[in-house]
Amino acid sequence: MMKKLLLVMLFALVLAACGTKEMSDDVNNVPGNNTDNVTQGSSKVKEEKITLYKSDENAENTVPFEENFNSDDEELVPFIFSTVNEHDVVLLDYTMENKDKSLVLNLGDDIYTIQGSAGANMFVETLARSYFENLPELQDITFIYKGSDEPILDHMNIGEPYARQDFDM
């Protein structure tokens, strides 16, 4: 009788241990319950590689490069501007208009640091290509100066939109 009781207890212990292991595995495989998956599995953390554009070493063409973007840390529009902008131009603010088809970038005083047609072309093209690449619904980008759409530069359109098709995108 003692052997039978011992055998039943041993069998129950083995089953309990197996059940605990399986239950533990099920709990740990639920997204968000495993401490290893808290940051990667969370729907709030969205880090991704995005393609941006910069000017080549001769400042004649744009070339793509990849950059990590974390949507928890920053909004996409200012992130692209600060990462791509090779001048001292400050982005004062921006607005998305026409159901996110138009982007208006409000630039500060340092817009005068953009030198000549080539400089303006690279400034506009690197930003435009980067925005069009990462905002597929976007159709045009307009640069304004301190809230005004008055043209202030000969070599850059202020107040007039640059269209996606201008960049073959």
mmCIF file of all heavy atoms in Angstrom, residues 16 18 26 36 43 47 51 53 70 73 77 96 105 119-122 132 141 153 156 160 167:
data_model
loop_
_atom_site.group_PDB
_atom_site.id
_atom_site.type_symbol
_atom_site.label_atom_id
_atom_site.label_comp_id
_atom_site.label_asym_id
_atom_site.label_seq_id
_atom_site.Cartn_x
_atom_site.Cartn_y
_atom_site.Cartn_z
ATOM 1 N N ALA A 16 2.270 17.435 -12.229
ATOM 2 C CA ALA A 16 2.192 18.826 -11.777
ATOM 3 C C ALA A 16 3.372 19.623 -12.331
ATOM 4 O O ALA A 16 3.208 20.756 -12.779
ATOM 5 C CB ALA A 16 2.166 18.890 -10.258
ATOM 6 N N CYS A 18 5.084 18.956 -15.076
ATOM 7 C CA CYS A 18 4.868 19.119 -16.520
ATOM 8 C C CYS A 18 3.818 20.186 -16.781
ATOM 9 O O CYS A 18 3.978 21.020 -17.659
ATOM 10 C CB CYS A 18 4.436 17.801 -17.162
ATOM 11 S SG CYS A 18 5.771 16.592 -17.253
ATOM 12 N N ASP A 26 3.236 28.867 -21.843
ATOM 13 C CA ASP A 26 2.118 29.561 -22.474
ATOM 14 C C ASP A 26 2.056 31.007 -22.023
ATOM 15 O O ASP A 26 1.835 31.908 -22.818
ATOM 16 C CB ASP A 26 0.795 28.867 -22.159
ATOM 17 C CG ASP A 26 0.648 27.539 -22.900
ATOM 18 O OD1 ASP A 26 1.391 27.317 -23.879
ATOM 19 O OD2 ASP A 26 -0.225 26.755 -22.499
ATOM 20 N N ASP A 36 11.531 39.723 -22.058
ATOM 21 C CA ASP A 36 12.383 39.944 -23.220
ATOM 22 C C ASP A 36 11.626 40.670 -24.334
ATOM 23 O O ASP A 36 12.230 41.316 -25.167
ATOM 24 C CB ASP A 36 12.901 38.607 -23.794
ATOM 25 C CG ASP A 36 13.876 37.925 -22.845
ATOM 26 O OD1 ASP A 36 14.424 38.626 -21.972
ATOM 27 O OD2 ASP A 36 14.067 36.705 -22.989
ATOM 28 N N SER A 43 3.311 47.451 -28.864
ATOM 29 C CA SER A 43 2.808 48.133 -30.059
ATOM 30 C C SER A 43 3.178 49.614 -30.041
ATOM 31 O O SER A 43 3.086 50.279 -31.052
ATOM 32 C CB SER A 43 1.297 47.967 -30.143
ATOM 33 O OG SER A 43 0.691 48.569 -29.026
ATOM 34 N N GLU A 47 10.458 51.352 -33.845
ATOM 35 C CA GLU A 47 11.726 51.772 -34.422
ATOM 36 C C GLU A 47 11.862 51.075 -35.758
ATOM 37 O O GLU A 47 11.650 49.876 -35.868
ATOM 38 C CB GLU A 47 12.902 51.418 -33.516
ATOM 39 C CG GLU A 47 14.204 51.932 -34.103
ATOM 40 C CD GLU A 47 15.351 51.866 -33.124
ATOM 41 O OE1 GLU A 47 15.254 52.482 -32.065
ATOM 42 O OE2 GLU A 47 16.331 51.192 -33.444
ATOM 43 N N THR A 51 14.475 55.455 -45.335
ATOM 44 C CA THR A 51 15.414 55.925 -46.348
ATOM 45 C C THR A 51 15.293 57.434 -46.453
ATOM 46 O O THR A 51 14.194 57.974 -46.624
ATOM 47 C CB THR A 51 15.112 55.276 -47.709
ATOM 48 O OG1 THR A 51 15.237 53.855 -47.567
ATOM 49 C CG2 THR A 51 16.075 55.765 -48.775
ATOM 50 N N TYR A 53 17.598 61.130 -47.951
ATOM 51 C CA TYR A 53 18.496 61.540 -49.027
ATOM 52 C C TYR A 53 19.409 62.664 -48.542
ATOM 53 O O TYR A 53 19.002 63.514 -47.763
ATOM 54 C CB TYR A 53 17.693 62.004 -50.251
ATOM 55 C CG TYR A 53 16.973 60.859 -50.907
ATOM 56 C CD1 TYR A 53 15.743 60.428 -50.429
ATOM 57 C CD2 TYR A 53 17.538 60.181 -51.972
ATOM 58 C CE1 TYR A 53 15.086 59.357 -51.013
ATOM 59 C CE2 TYR A 53 16.890 59.105 -52.563
ATOM 60 C CZ TYR A 53 15.671 58.707 -52.078
ATOM 61 O OH TYR A 53 15.031 57.635 -52.654
ATOM 62 N N ASN A 70 12.641 56.267 -34.449
ATOM 63 C CA ASN A 70 11.814 55.746 -33.368
ATOM 64 C C ASN A 70 10.655 56.705 -33.164
ATOM 65 O O ASN A 70 10.849 57.822 -32.696
ATOM 66 C CB ASN A 70 12.648 55.617 -32.093
ATOM 67 C CG ASN A 70 11.888 54.963 -30.966
ATOM 68 O OD1 ASN A 70 10.668 55.058 -30.881
ATOM 69 N ND2 ASN A 70 12.603 54.316 -30.079
ATOM 70 N N ASP A 73 10.154 58.640 -29.890
ATOM 71 C CA ASP A 73 11.047 59.738 -29.527
ATOM 72 C C ASP A 73 10.724 61.043 -30.236
ATOM 73 O O ASP A 73 10.935 62.117 -29.695
ATOM 74 C CB ASP A 73 12.504 59.373 -29.841
ATOM 75 C CG ASP A 73 13.023 58.263 -28.940
ATOM 76 O OD1 ASP A 73 12.411 58.018 -27.882
ATOM 77 O OD2 ASP A 73 14.026 57.633 -29.305
ATOM 78 N N VAL A 77 8.179 64.338 -39.393
ATOM 79 C CA VAL A 77 8.512 65.541 -40.173
ATOM 80 C C VAL A 77 9.709 66.284 -39.576
ATOM 81 O O VAL A 77 10.683 66.549 -40.287
ATOM 82 C CB VAL A 77 7.280 66.454 -40.356
ATOM 83 C CG1 VAL A 77 7.674 67.799 -40.966
ATOM 84 C CG2 VAL A 77 6.234 65.759 -41.215
ATOM 85 N N MET A 96 0.358 69.829 -41.968
ATOM 86 C CA MET A 96 -0.089 68.887 -42.990
ATOM 87 C C MET A 96 -1.471 69.363 -43.409
ATOM 88 O O MET A 96 -2.323 69.598 -42.546
ATOM 89 C CB MET A 96 -0.150 67.459 -42.448
ATOM 90 C CG MET A 96 1.177 66.872 -42.028
ATOM 91 S SD MET A 96 2.374 66.642 -43.346
ATOM 92 C CE MET A 96 1.633 65.330 -44.288
ATOM 93 N N LEU A 105 6.279 73.709 -44.740
ATOM 94 C CA LEU A 105 7.398 73.850 -43.811
ATOM 95 C C LEU A 105 7.668 75.337 -43.597
ATOM 96 O O LEU A 105 7.975 76.063 -44.555
ATOM 97 C CB LEU A 105 8.649 73.168 -44.373
ATOM 98 C CG LEU A 105 8.522 71.667 -44.637
ATOM 99 C CD1 LEU A 105 9.722 71.159 -45.411
ATOM 100 C CD2 LEU A 105 8.371 70.910 -43.333
ATOM 101 N N GLY A 119 23.081 75.310 -53.973
ATOM 102 C CA GLY A 119 22.785 75.110 -52.555
ATOM 103 C C GLY A 119 21.297 74.968 -52.302
ATOM 104 O O GLY A 119 20.853 74.097 -51.555
ATOM 105 N N ALA A 120 20.512 75.842 -52.939
ATOM 106 C CA ALA A 120 19.061 75.785 -52.781
ATOM 107 C C ALA A 120 18.509 74.493 -53.373
ATOM 108 O O ALA A 120 17.631 73.863 -52.783
ATOM 109 C CB ALA A 120 18.408 76.989 -53.440
ATOM 110 N N ASN A 121 19.038 74.099 -54.532
ATOM 111 C CA ASN A 121 18.581 72.873 -55.170
ATOM 112 C C ASN A 121 18.820 71.664 -54.266
ATOM 113 O O ASN A 121 17.936 70.821 -54.098
ATOM 114 C CB ASN A 121 19.277 72.683 -56.521
ATOM 115 C CG ASN A 121 18.731 71.492 -57.269
ATOM 116 O OD1 ASN A 121 17.523 71.316 -57.354
ATOM 117 N ND2 ASN A 121 19.619 70.675 -57.789
ATOM 118 N N MET A 122 19.997 71.555 -53.659
ATOM 119 C CA MET A 122 20.301 70.430 -52.772
ATOM 120 C C MET A 122 19.457 70.485 -51.504
ATOM 121 O O MET A 122 18.977 69.469 -51.022
ATOM 122 C CB MET A 122 21.790 70.380 -52.416
ATOM 123 C CG MET A 122 22.668 69.810 -53.499
ATOM 124 S SD MET A 122 22.326 68.078 -53.877
ATOM 125 C CE MET A 122 21.323 68.205 -55.350
ATOM 126 N N PHE A 132 8.926 62.672 -49.570
ATOM 127 C CA PHE A 132 8.125 61.875 -50.518
ATOM 128 C C PHE A 132 8.380 60.383 -50.336
ATOM 129 O O PHE A 132 7.475 59.570 -50.470
ATOM 130 C CB PHE A 132 8.403 62.296 -51.961
ATOM 131 C CG PHE A 132 7.843 63.659 -52.322
ATOM 132 C CD1 PHE A 132 8.594 64.548 -53.064
ATOM 133 C CD2 PHE A 132 6.579 64.046 -51.910
ATOM 134 C CE1 PHE A 132 8.085 65.801 -53.408
ATOM 135 C CE2 PHE A 132 6.060 65.293 -52.243
ATOM 136 C CZ PHE A 132 6.824 66.175 -52.989
ATOM 137 N N ILE A 141 5.078 69.841 -51.402
ATOM 138 C CA ILE A 141 5.727 70.470 -50.246
ATOM 139 C C ILE A 141 5.889 71.946 -50.563
ATOM 140 O O ILE A 141 6.373 72.311 -51.643
ATOM 141 C CB ILE A 141 7.117 69.858 -49.975
ATOM 142 C CG1 ILE A 141 6.987 68.358 -49.700
ATOM 143 C CG2 ILE A 141 7.815 70.573 -48.835
ATOM 144 C CD1 ILE A 141 8.307 67.619 -49.687
ATOM 145 N N LEU A 153 13.747 84.628 -51.944
ATOM 146 C CA LEU A 153 14.998 84.148 -52.518
ATOM 147 C C LEU A 153 14.838 83.952 -54.020
ATOM 148 O O LEU A 153 13.793 83.486 -54.484
ATOM 149 C CB LEU A 153 15.407 82.809 -51.877
ATOM 150 C CG LEU A 153 15.669 82.796 -50.385
ATOM 151 C CD1 LEU A 153 15.915 81.368 -49.904
ATOM 152 C CD2 LEU A 153 16.865 83.663 -50.035
ATOM 153 N N MET A 156 15.142 79.808 -54.805
ATOM 154 C CA MET A 156 14.311 78.812 -54.129
ATOM 155 C C MET A 156 12.866 79.288 -54.106
ATOM 156 O O MET A 156 12.606 80.452 -53.810
ATOM 157 C CB MET A 156 14.817 78.619 -52.698
ATOM 158 C CG MET A 156 14.116 77.559 -51.921
ATOM 159 S SD MET A 156 14.909 77.391 -50.293
ATOM 160 C CE MET A 156 13.577 76.659 -49.399
ATOM 161 N N GLU A 160 5.455 78.587 -53.138
ATOM 162 C CA GLU A 160 4.973 77.802 -54.272
ATOM 163 C C GLU A 160 5.337 76.342 -54.047
ATOM 164 O O GLU A 160 6.479 76.027 -53.731
ATOM 165 C CB GLU A 160 5.608 78.285 -55.576
ATOM 166 C CG GLU A 160 5.193 79.690 -55.959
ATOM 167 C CD GLU A 160 5.820 80.115 -57.274
ATOM 168 O OE1 GLU A 160 6.046 79.246 -58.149
ATOM 169 O OE2 GLU A 160 6.083 81.308 -57.409
ATOM 170 N N PHE A 167 10.243 65.489 -58.804
ATOM 171 C CA PHE A 167 11.407 64.692 -58.381
ATOM 172 C C PHE A 167 11.300 63.258 -58.886
ATOM 173 O O PHE A 167 11.984 62.375 -58.386
ATOM 174 C CB PHE A 167 11.521 64.730 -56.857
ATOM 175 C CG PHE A 167 11.623 66.133 -56.330
ATOM 176 C CD1 PHE A 167 10.495 66.813 -55.911
ATOM 177 C CD2 PHE A 167 12.852 66.777 -56.304
ATOM 178 C CE1 PHE A 167 10.573 68.124 -55.463
ATOM 179 C CE2 PHE A 167 12.940 68.086 -55.858
ATOM 180 C CZ PHE A 167 11.811 68.763 -55.433
#
